[in-house]
Amino acid sequence: MAFDPDLVDRMEAALVALGQRPERRRMFGGIALMIGGNMSFGTSRDELHVRVGPDQYEAALAKTGAREMDLTGRVMKGWVTVDGPSDLDDEALAAWARMTADFVSTLPVK
């Protein structure tokens, strides 16, 4: 299995709790959650990819388990990868959801 379906359910629930209406989309061998047509979360293997935007990027990297997102040999600014996301409690996952929802809500709907 390329992704953890329970983690996707939890990510989706965290966004819904914030009043978002995420849409699931298969992407990069895992699942991405889209808000208004913009990717917010993604998961593949045992990694969580979170779109945090440029203003929250450094703060996101300072969080436990976070590192630069690099899927192709090139760092994607404004995105972080969180290792071991299955171990995140609901509060930690909710914090990531708030961070991504705050940024993605500033983007135009596609």
Side-chain angles (χ1 to χ4, degrees), residues 46-106:
D46 190 30
E47 297 176 332
L48 177 64
H49 309 292
V50 185
R51 189 175 191 179
V52 297
D55 293 342
Q56 300 181 99
Y57 185 62
E58 292 300 324
L61 285 175
K63 290 174 145 282
T64 302
R67 61 182 164 84
E68 294 177 323
M69 183 172 160
D70 177 357
L71 298 178
T72 64
R74 188 170 158 198
V75 172
M76 296 179 66
K77 294 289 184 183
W79 286 84
V80 296
T81 295
V82 181
D83 293 320
S86 299
D87 297 331
L88 292 175
D89 62 22
D90 290 340
E91 186 177 321
L93 196 58
W96 285 114
R98 277 190 303 279
M99 194 173 270
T100 193
D102 286 349
F103 174 68
V104 175
S105 68
T106 68

